[in-house]
Structures are given as structure tokens and as C-alpha cells.
């Protein structure tokens, strides 16, 4: 199965809540719903607060041909922050439809930077 970068897709994966035909820009809806998900589920790790740990974590995942989030990797400035970033990423719901490019279903990688700042 071919992997196509998110930025060049003909059709973004359909995030739950973006399926309405009234929503013209599915990519913008996907990104907004993803950021809403992060805001709703973000919890600054207590131990990181106590130790004044801040930084960025880069999350990368694949949206497979079924719309499932797979192959999650995180890389950041501290393990406590990486654990929280992975937790949030693992909670992302499956897409209602996978990405498409050239009229075919494709897998697409997605990168998500998370900033932890006190």
C-alpha cells in the first residue's frame, strides 16, 4: 500500500465530525478536530510540573488504509513529556474514511509537534 504525504493528498482522511457534505474543506476540519482532541485530552504531567520540565515532543503516526492510527512514534526533550504525548496520540479516534490520492485509498503519515510549557 502506497504512503502519500498528508500535504499532497487529494482527499484527507475523514475525522469523526467532518463527514458532513456541508463541510467543504475536509483537510481544515481534520486539523481543527485534531487540535480540539489535543486540547480536550492534554494533561501536563504532575511530576514534570514539580520538576519544571518543559519542551517539545514530536509525534508521528500513520493513518492506515482503514483509517486507523498506527505506528506512533514520539521524540522529545524528556521522557515524562513523551509519555503524555504518546497517551494523547493513542486516544485519537479512528478516521471514518482513509486518505485518498489519485482515486485510490492510501496510507498517510502525519507529524504533530506538542509544546509543553509551564
Amino acid at each position: 500500500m502506497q504512503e502519500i504525504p498528508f500535504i499532497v493528498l487529494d482527499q484527507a482522511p475523514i475525522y469523526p465530525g467532518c463527514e458532513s457534505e456541508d463541510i467543504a474543506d475536509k483537510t481544515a476540519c481534520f486539523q481543527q478536530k485534531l487540535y480540539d482532541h489535543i486540547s480536550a485530552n492534554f494533561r501536563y504531567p504532575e511530576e514534570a510540573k514539580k520538576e519544571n520540565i518543559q519542551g517539545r515532543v514530536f509525534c508521528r503516526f500513520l493513518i492506515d488504509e482503514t483509517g486507523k492510527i498506527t505506528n506512533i512514534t514520539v521524540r522529545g526533550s524528556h521522557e515524562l513529556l513523551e509519555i503524555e504525548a504518546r497517551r494523547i496520540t493513542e486516544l485519537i479516534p479512528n478516521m471514518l474514511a482513509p486518505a485518498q490520492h489519485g482515486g485510490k485509498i492510501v496510507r498517510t503519515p502525519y507529524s504533530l509537534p506538542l509544546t509543553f510549557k509551564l
Side-chain angles (χ1 to χ4, degrees), residues 22-94:
D22 295 341
I23 299 171
D25 190 344
K26 303 290 190 203
T27 300
C29 185
F30 172 94
Q31 291 173 327
Q32 184 60 55
K33 292 287 188 183
L34 187 58
Y35 289 114
D36 291 348
H37 165 81
I38 293 163
S39 295
N41 291 285
F42 183 86
R43 292 193 311 246
Y44 211 106
E46 285 301 318
E47 191 175 336
K49 282 183 191 177
K50 289 176 191 172
E51 296 182 28
N52 197 33
I53 297 169
Q54 303 181 79
R56 285 190 109 174
V57 177
F58 296 91
C59 304
R60 185 181 186 280
F61 55 89
L62 186 69
I63 302 170
D64 74 11
E65 61 276 4
T66 67
K68 185 177 178 184
I69 305 301
T70 64
N71 298 5
I72 298 169
T73 60
V74 295
R75 190 188 57 181
S77 58
H78 195 279
E79 183 181 11
L80 289 171
L81 306 182
E82 289 178 344
I83 291 167
E84 175 60 7
R86 177 175 290 282
R87 186 191 70 79
I88 293 168
T89 305
E90 288 174 345
L91 292 173
I92 297 171
N94 291 339

